[in-house]
């Protein structure tokens, strides 16, 4: 079993903002795997599919970004998952330029409040796909809760596609070392 978690904030107000790229990637994964139903469960929206006989869970925490770990730990405990091998978190990253992704196996939060919450609940040892949203040109909170400008849409679309493909490779058992080799050089 594997759990793919996309970080974001609930509600239409935050849809398609920089902070919600994790939710956007999950929406693309739903389309790729024919997932049509999300259930409200464990303070999140939980969806599932089966790939080659293995159950794959998708989670969008509905706790707001800063408390993402609270929803995630409930799912991990309920399904008895090992975050080191069965968890992939997809999130926005201010240190990467718009359109770039980076796969990491473990590490700190880099100042990302959603990751801080997850690390507080499950530790630092889990795979993640960081999606570049660029450095703020304004107050950080206003920047991450803002939408991408039109001139960045092509780069954002390519980034979301790459992040989806990285998650698909994770689902299909590509180890994280190979994921890093494949996606971090792009």
């Amino acid at each position: 079993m594997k759990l793919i978690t996309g970080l974001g904030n609930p509600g239409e107000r935050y849809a398609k903002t920089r902070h919600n790229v994790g939710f956007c990637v999950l929406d693309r994964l739903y389309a790729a795997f024919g997932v049509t139903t999300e259930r409200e469960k464990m303070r999140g929206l939980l969806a599932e599919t089966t790939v080659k006989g293995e159950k794959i869970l998708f989670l969008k925490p509905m706790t707001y970004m800063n408390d993402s770990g609270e929803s995630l730990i409930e799912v991990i405990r309920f399904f008895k998952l090992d975050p080191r091998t069965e968890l992939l978190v997809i999130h926005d990253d201010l240190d990467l330029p718009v359109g770039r992704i980076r796969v990491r196996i473990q590490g700190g939060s880099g100042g990302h409040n959603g990751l801080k919450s997850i690390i507080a609940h499950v530790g630092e040892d889990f795979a993640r796909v960081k999606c570049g949203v660029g450095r703020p040109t304004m107050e950080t909170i206003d920047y991450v809760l803002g939408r991408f400008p039109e001139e960045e849409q092509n780069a954002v679309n390519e980034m979301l596609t790459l992040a989806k493909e990285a998650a698909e490779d994770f689902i299909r058992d590509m180890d994280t070392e190979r994921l890093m080799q494949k996606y971090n050089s792009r």
Side-chain angles (χ1 to χ4, degrees), residues 26 41 57 62 67 79 82 87 90 99 107 129 132-134 136 143 165 169 179:
L26 283 192
K41 198 168 187 177
L57 301 170
M62 293 287 112
D67 295 321
F79 289 100
D82 181 353
L87 172 63
I90 304 166
V129 175
V133 298
Y143 184 76
E165 290 171 359
D169 284 341
L179 279 173

Side-chain angles (χ1 to χ4, degrees), residues 10-126:
E12 203 52 42
R13 173 181 176 199
Y14 300 107
K16 299 185 182 180
T17 62
R18 290 177 182 92
H19 230 12
N20 275 37
V21 295
F23 284 7
C24 294
V25 174
L26 283 192
D27 290 340
R28 287 174 179 235
L29 286 166
Y30 291 175
F33 289 106
V35 174
T36 58
T37 305
E38 294 175 313
R39 297 173 311 201
E40 288 187 44
K41 198 168 187 177
M42 294 177 243
R43 297 195 286 166
L45 295 177
L46 194 63
E48 64 182 67
T49 192
T50 303
V51 176
K52 294 184 179 178
E54 181 178 32
K55 183 185 271 192
I56 307 299
L57 301 170
F58 301 99
L59 175 67
K60 293 178 184 175
M62 293 287 112
T63 53
Y64 288 93
M65 182 66 76
N66 295 356
D67 295 321
S68 297
E70 294 175 11
S71 174
L72 183 59
I73 193 65
E74 288 184 37
V75 175
I76 288 171
R77 285 180 179 153
F78 182 84
F79 289 100
K80 298 174 177 54
L81 298 170
D82 181 353
R84 294 169 298 169
T85 58
E86 299 173 317
L87 172 63
L88 178 70
V89 175
I90 304 166
H91 63 89
D92 60 298
D93 190 285
L94 294 170
D95 292 325
L96 289 174
V98 173
R100 294 284 311 274
I101 71 164
R102 180 160 291 141
V103 178
R104 287 283 178 247
I105 298 172
Q106 60 185 9
S109 69
H112 191 288
N113 289 331
L115 286 180
K116 283 181 189 175
S117 176
I118 291 170
I119 290 168
H121 288 87
V122 303
E124 293 183 358
D125 196 8
F126 59 90

